[in-house]
Amino acid sequence: MSIGIIFLLLLGFVLLEIPVGFALIAASLVYIGMDGVFPASVVASRMPPGLESFPFLALPLFVFVGTVLSSGGIARRIFDFANCMVGHTRGGLGHVNVLASIIFAGMSGVAQADAAGLGRIEIEEMKRAGYPTRIATAITAASSVIGPIIPPSVIMVVYAVLANVPLSDLFLAGIVPGLLMGASLMIAIAIMARTGRIDVPLQPRKPARERWQAFVKAAPALSAPALLIAGLLSGVATPTELGALTAVYATVLGFAQGELTPRRLWDCAVQTVLTTGVLAFLIAAAAPFLWALAMGDTVSWFARQIEGISHNPILFLLTINLILLVAGALIETTVILLIVVPVLGPAMVMNGIDPIHAAMVIIVNLMIGALTPPFGVLLFVMMDITKLSLAAMSRAILPFYLPLLAVLLLMTFVPALSTAVPAWMASTR
Amino acid sequence: MRFFSWTLVVLGRAELVAASLLVLAMICAVSVEVYYRYVLGSSLYWVEEGATIAFIWVTFLGAALASKANRHITITSLGGIFRAGRSRALWALGGQGAIVVVAAVIAYHSFGYTTLQARTATVSLPVNIPRSWMFAWPLCLGMVSIALTHLYYFMDNVISLFAPGVRPAPRPLLEI
Amino acid sequence: EVSLNVATVDAAGTLRNLAGNRLHTLLREQDAGVQVRHIEGPVLGNAAQVRDQVAEGSVDIIGTDIAWAAPYSNFLKATSFSFVFRDQEHLAGVLDSAMMAELIDEIAAEQGVRILGAAVLPSRAFFTKVTPQRAADFEGLKIRSPQLDNWLESYKAIGANPTPVNWNEVFLALQTGLVDGAHGLPVDVQPNNWHKAAPNVTDLEDMFGVHVWMINETRWSGMSSADQATLVAAIDEVDAWMTATAEAESLSTIASLLDQGGGVFITHNAAKREAVAALAGADKVVAFPEDEREAMRNKALAAGKALEGQATWWAPGVLDELQSVR
Ligand code: NA
Ligand code: NA
């Protein structure tokens, strides 16, 4: 029986408004039942082992860190610091917004934490300074995709386990593309400010004393990314263990700053349980689905389909970019990751593309997809905060796709942007 | 119906407390392991396996909780075709019913695996835990809880079909 | 015609993966009544997970290291304990013994998984930055371990400090000093680059690799005896090929690892030293004193004896029984 049927089943169940996790299970159950080769009980037996992986533990750990950063007042201090540094420039708070996201990304592993936690502060401050809500929202949404590109990153954790690549290499590979995305957004903001598309009075430069104070307050958070990367490079701990250490660090910091209370810490744990219950459950639910795909030899089927374009790695990557961008606009990021990576990853490596390069192209692609209507998770988070309509927000974000897509193209053509840091790291010992 | 929802809310609170404690325990255990290895120079090799078991429990308890808080990722693009009203509610009803069936089937099958998986045990923990407590049991218990939760939503939906002012989406049992 | 799903878990191009492909080709060329479909790579899960799938019947056969069968039998655990075997012939003798045949039937009846033939592979080697010269050099050495209790206890038995690390992360763990050493078959190490982080290769013949094929017992007993014979013959042929290939490539692999990593080869075995010296140069080879190895062996066997009779460990007298096989 054709393996394509399982995708049709999935589509059908999703349209019935069954949550994606249950739709994946239902599709596997019906497909394996119809196929008749295996007992349907295989679906139940495959689900929990899909989670049996030490790297996956990093998922709840970094989700927890994200919640603590917001509840513990750390996001606020990061914003204040960024404001003191670049707030006085033309398009000031736009740059502040991006810079704060870059710093925040060094501790947070999920884009939603950036958009919802830090984003609330950013939008509030920008509105107060006279920025139109749609521009504030657009910059916040666009800059939040940097979160999972700069390490740590939950999406990289999932990718590493699914595609069997070292998580530490992926973390290191994200640094340059993440900074490039930040830089490209800042260039776009600078151009918009010069051409008058962002027209807000300049802020006065903050006095040196105030800048110093903001730096001191933000210093522990600023040093966290450096500590994390040092930890990765020096081998104090694996990425999973770094997740736990970052969680402890953020918690201690929150308490030391007096903004975290036991009550709030408990809420952070509760939110972590809920997010894990959604994301990790999706991973478990995808396991029997992927098992059925593997039994149906989907990887070699897919490899045959793309044989024609596979001789030219660049053309191949461009095609994949196009497919993923369209898929990313229609389907939730984690879901694509779970279904596409196990098929696409091996096919790309078979075609001679470096696994780390392939991973970064796919991940950046999916993050841009999370920003694209009609199904962009980050847009939904923003709609929740600002009450803007999906249409208004999509229009406002339009100019920011350009810099992000430019970075994606650059990354596609220049593998070194992704592979140089892990390779350099490998050569230093 | 009142008693049913009360029971589910109590169950949800229990899941919430158990899973949150497990999350905090996971963070502590992994941190202590790093401390042992890096500072004391000896490794606590049971942490990896122990934390993995905790993670699997957190996932399925969390999934049950996410059902009660109505947080599972759902793509509602097609629902827009139906205007709010009876047809929309009937559409939602089909979805709720399907979840009940799926969860019940998985609960049933995972229960069937408990004996098979109990043949092998964990290896590094101070006590040997049968692998069924790592795999089949958390899935089975989580799915029973999920099946009951969506059965409640299903029944609530049926009742609302006959009440004035149809409301198609389930009102979450828990607001978290 | 019987069609069996065979999974080998290891990445494309590894010995096990090639063996799976070979089994497939062999049966197809014979146009036999039994055919296999080889599912390559870790797409169905890791070795322990696929082993469970064989037990429950959703996968028919797994080709993997014998270590993953050890949880099925406390006796089998003893065969994956360090320094239990004097040499490769001793191990092969145990695998061929009547004792083993009895054990296989026992496991099949109790666990629903039957072991079909085993291929003896070369010994595992330690990959380290340091160059161990004495038994004491292993004291406190952080050695990467899989999540298997006989492995953990084996490393503890020689005084080392076992540290569980995911197979994929071993290179990084070695490079960053998370662990001081890792233990594996040189042919498996090459694609994973361990030698570039831990260049010195120490072969004390403390553990040998053993590849086994495990089939679901229900599936097996449902096959006609002619089909069973066909399958076993094909498996035996592939096993012989694996043993020969691994044997032939092991020393040349070590030589190329030394060449790429810049390390030395350390062993008590004079014949191996000579062979590697011929390939890599005499300056690349260092002797490990026989008496120091003997000291480690005695330490390990004493630790193994101490485990005898404890819950989840083998029965008293098993180690002596294994020693008596010739
Ligand atoms: Na990040
Ligand atoms: Na931002």
Side-chain angles (χ1 to χ4, degrees):
Chain A
M1 197 171 65
S2 165
I3 192 77
I5 291 174
I6 199 169
F7 285 102
L8 287 178
L9 285 167
L10 178 64
L11 188 69
F13 289 124
V14 164
L15 291 181
L16 200 59
E17 291 190 9
I18 299 175
V20 180
F22 297 106
L24 279 163
I25 304 173
S28 315
L29 270 177
V30 175
Y31 174 78
I32 289 173
M34 280 162 51
D35 198 34
V37 179
F38 301 105
S41 60
V42 166
V43 177
S45 82
R46 292 281 56 79
M47 282 177 66
L51 299 169
E52 189 198 11
S53 164
F54 195 57
F56 264 160
L57 286 180
L59 188 154
L61 298 176
F62 283 121
V63 168
F64 180 81
V65 170
T67 59
V68 172
L69 290 180
S70 301
S71 324
I74 298 164
R76 177 87 235 177
R77 284 165 195 243
I78 290 175
F79 179 84
D80 288 344
F81 169 73
N83 194 10
C84 284
M85 298 318 286
V86 292
H88 59 277
T89 57
R90 203 183 288 272
L93 281 177
H95 294 300
V96 171
N97 194 324
V98 178
L99 181 61
S101 281
I102 294 175
I103 300 171
F104 192 81
M107 278 182 93
S108 159
V110 274
Q112 287 95 316
D114 180 316
L118 180 65
R120 231 174 260 276
I121 301 169
E122 290 167 343
I123 291 172
E124 198 181 289
E125 294 287 335
M126 287 178 83
K127 273 159 81 176
R128 194 182 319 174
Y131 286 78
T133 307
R134 47 185 184 80
I135 288 195
T137 312
I139 296 177
T140 303
S143 63
S144 71
V145 305
I146 300 169
I149 307 297
I150 290 179
S153 164
V154 166
I155 197 170
M156 285 181 185
V157 171
V158 179
Y159 189 101
V161 177
L162 287 176
N164 230 12
V165 295
L167 179 53
S168 330
D169 282 1
L170 266 192
F171 272 10
L172 293 171
I175 297 173
V176 173
L179 293 175
L180 274 179
M181 287 165 87
S184 73
L185 285 175
M186 283 181 151
I187 291 170
I189 290 166
I191 292 171
M192 287 170 81
R194 292 220 172 269
T195 55
R197 291 193 60 182
I198 298 178
D199 188 18
V200 180
L202 281 175
Q203 280 188 17
R205 201 189 172 96
K206 296 275 193 306
R209 196 184 139 77
E210 201 175 316
R211 293 163 68 138
W212 173 248
Q213 276 171 348
F215 171 73
V216 171
K217 278 186 169 179
L222 285 171
S223 52
L227 290 176
L228 186 98
I229 290 167
L232 274 178
L233 295 179
S234 67
V236 174
T238 62
T240 309
E241 293 166 346
L242 286 172
L245 294 182
T246 316
V248 172
Y249 185 76
T251 307
V252 170
L253 206 58
F255 277 116
Q257 293 173 353
E259 295 199 33
L260 199 63
T261 58
R263 171 79 231 178
R264 283 187 178 175
L265 187 70
W266 179 253
D267 287 340
C268 291
V270 170
Q271 290 307 322
T272 306
V273 168
L274 268 180
T275 309
T276 308
V278 173
L279 291 184
F281 177 69
L282 264 179
I283 294 170
F289 190 88
L290 296 175
W291 188 87
L293 291 186
M295 279 297 183
D297 254 345
T298 315
V299 172
S300 36
W301 173 84
F302 183 77
R304 277 198 305 278
Q305 302 308 305
I306 57 170
E307 221 159 26
I309 51 166
S310 65
H311 300 298
N312 182 340
I314 295 290
L315 187 65
F316 179 63
L317 273 177
L318 284 176
T319 315
I320 284 175
N321 273 338
L322 200 66
I323 297 171
L324 281 183
L325 282 174
V326 173
L330 296 172
I331 315 169
E332 207 272 331
T333 316
T334 323
V335 180
I336 309 183
L337 194 65
L338 287 169
I339 298 173
V340 168
V341 167
V343 181
L344 211 54
M348 288 170 89
V349 176
M350 265 182 228
N351 285 308
I353 296 168
D354 182 276
I356 298 292
H357 180 212
M360 285 313 301
V361 169
I362 292 182
I363 289 169
V364 170
N365 223 314
L366 291 181
M367 288 322 299
I368 297 176
L371 201 63
T372 323
F375 201 88
V377 177
L378 295 173
L379 298 181
F380 296 162
V381 174
M382 290 289 112
M383 284 163 70
D384 192 38
I385 297 176
T386 60
K387 311 296 172 214
L388 278 178
S389 76
L390 187 61
M393 220 163 55
S394 310
R395 260 199 311 280
I397 292 186
L398 216 53
F400 297 103
Y401 289 128
L402 215 61
L404 293 178
L405 287 173
V407 173
L408 178 61
L409 267 185
L410 196 63
M411 284 174 58
T412 306
F413 287 111
V414 189
L417 293 176
S418 315
T419 56
V421 177
W424 168 76
M425 145 81 209
S427 67
T428 49
R429 274 165 205 264
Chain B
M1 239 1 224
R2 262 256 183 81
F3 177 72
F4 195 8
S5 74
W6 180 84
T7 314
L8 286 172
V9 167
V10 171
L11 180 63
R13 296 258 165 236
E15 288 164 350
L16 184 145
V17 171
S20 303
L21 287 176
L22 280 174
V23 163
L24 295 176
M26 252 162 64
I27 296 170
C28 293
V30 177
S31 308
V32 168
E33 195 240 318
V34 180
Y35 176 81
Y36 259 74
R37 196 185 47 236
Y38 198 62
V39 181
L40 306 182
S42 69
S43 60
L44 293 175
Y45 31 79
W46 53 268
V47 166
E48 177 168 339
E49 202 169 25
T52 306
I53 296 178
F55 172 56
I56 293 175
W57 277 94
V58 167
T59 301
F60 292 115
L61 291 176
L65 202 59
S67 271
K68 293 182 185 70
N70 199 20
R71 289 276 197 92
H72 282 294
I73 294 172
T74 312
I75 298 174
T76 50
S77 38
L78 197 77
I81 295 170
F82 303 97
R83 294 188 174 282
R86 263 223 163 108
S87 51
R88 178 85 179 77
L90 274 171
W91 188 254
L93 202 61
Q96 293 296 345
I99 300 174
V100 176
V101 173
V102 165
V105 168
I106 297 295
Y108 169 78
H109 284 307
S110 55
F111 181 76
Y113 277 108
T114 52
T115 31
L116 181 80
Q117 287 175 358
R119 285 181 191 167
T120 45
T122 56
V123 291
S124 60
L125 291 169
V127 283
N128 287 306
I129 300 172
R131 273 163 80 90
S132 53
W133 283 98
M134 188 167 178
F135 291 157
W137 280 116
L139 177 63
C140 180
L141 298 178
M143 283 297 158
V144 167
S145 176
I146 286 171
L148 290 175
T149 304
H150 289 276
L151 182 63
Y152 170 82
Y153 289 150
F154 182 84
M155 288 162 61
D156 190 44
N157 232 330
V158 170
I159 292 169
S160 78
L161 272 180
F162 299 100
V166 181
R167 23 160 243 276
R171 283 175 310 181
L173 277 158
L174 285 173
E175 298 280 356
I176 310 169
Chain C
E1 181 183 278
V2 183
S3 174
L4 302 167
N5 286 316
V6 176
T8 48
V9 184
D10 287 5
T14 56
L15 186 64
R16 254 184 259 291
N17 171 269
L18 296 176
N21 285 338
R22 220 174 165 80
L23 184 63
H24 165 82
T25 320
L26 196 64
L27 288 167
R28 204 188 45 202
E29 280 169 358
Q30 290 175 4
D31 205 13
V34 187
Q35 293 292 319
V36 303
R37 201 161 68 85
H38 181 211
I39 297 153
E40 299 180 61
V43 286
L44 299 180
N46 62 34
Q49 290 166 2
V50 177
R51 174 202 63 197
D52 288 352
Q53 293 172 46
V54 172
E56 74 193 32
S58 49
V59 173
D60 299 316
I61 297 179
I62 179 176
T64 188
D65 195 278
I66 198 170
W68 300 106
Y72 285 147
S73 146
N74 292 333
F75 177 90
L76 217 47
K77 272 183 176 177
T79 65
S80 288
F81 198 79
S82 54
F83 289 109
V84 162
F85 299 106
R86 289 183 296 274
D87 49 32
Q88 222 164 345
E89 287 74 49
H90 183 199
L91 168 60
V94 169
L95 291 173
D96 272 342
S97 66
M99 187 163 68
M100 195 68 189
E102 210 173 287
L103 181 71
I104 286 173
D105 284 336
E106 211 173 281
I107 293 176
E110 285 172 10
Q111 308 285 352
V113 173
R114 176 173 291 274
I115 297 172
L116 287 185
V120 177
L121 305 178
S123 46
R124 290 171 193 278
F126 290 99
F127 288 76
T128 52
K129 280 200 189 74
V130 295
T131 46
Q133 278 299 294
R134 297 168 303 138
D137 291 341
F138 286 89
E139 293 285 348
L141 205 66
K142 284 182 285 182
I143 292 178
R144 178 266 165 182
S145 170
Q147 280 280 356
L148 284 164
D149 51 359
N150 42 336
W151 242 270
L152 290 165
E153 291 299 329
S154 288
Y155 296 142
K156 279 199 263 177
I158 56 168
N161 189 359
T163 307
V165 173
N166 214 307
W167 174 263
N168 281 329
E169 303 276 339
V170 174
F171 168 66
L172 197 92
L174 284 167
Q175 192 175 43
T176 56
L178 187 69
V179 292
D180 304 318
H183 197 205
L185 285 179
V187 280
D188 288 342
V189 163
Q190 181 128 50
N192 290 293
N193 285 332
W194 295 3
H195 57 293
K196 291 186 181 157
N200 299 314
V201 187
T202 309
D203 178 4
L204 300 177
E205 297 182 344
D206 52 318
M207 274 195 210
F208 298 93
V210 178
H211 172 90
V212 292
W213 304 89
M214 295 190 266
I215 187 169
N216 176 279
E217 175 65 5
T218 315
R219 199 85 166 100
W220 171 254
S221 50
M223 286 164 64
S224 71
S225 49
D227 286 344
Q228 288 181 348
T230 311
L231 181 63
V232 168
I235 277 181
D236 284 346
E237 194 177 330
V238 172
D239 280 350
W241 173 82
M242 279 181 91
T243 301
T245 310
E247 193 61 56
E249 286 180 2
S250 181
L251 295 177
S252 60
T253 303
I254 289 174
S256 81
L257 293 181
L258 297 180
D259 186 44
Q260 292 166 23
V264 293
F265 178 57
I266 305 147
T267 182
H268 64 290
N269 184 323
K272 282 185 181 172
R273 280 204 303 272
E274 210 169 294
V276 172
L279 292 165
D283 58 325
K284 290 281 190 183
V285 176
V286 178
F288 193 88
E290 282 279 4
D291 55 334
E292 289 290 330
R293 178 184 180 267
E294 206 49 37
M296 284 176 78
R297 178 159 202 256
N298 292 335
K299 224 160 114 182
L301 288 177
K305 280 258 172 60
L307 289 168
E308 287 194 341
Q310 291 187 29
T312 79
W313 294 93
W314 49 85
V318 163
L319 288 186
D320 284 336
E321 200 180 339
L322 284 173
Q323 292 304 313
S324 69
V325 176
R326 177 61 274 193

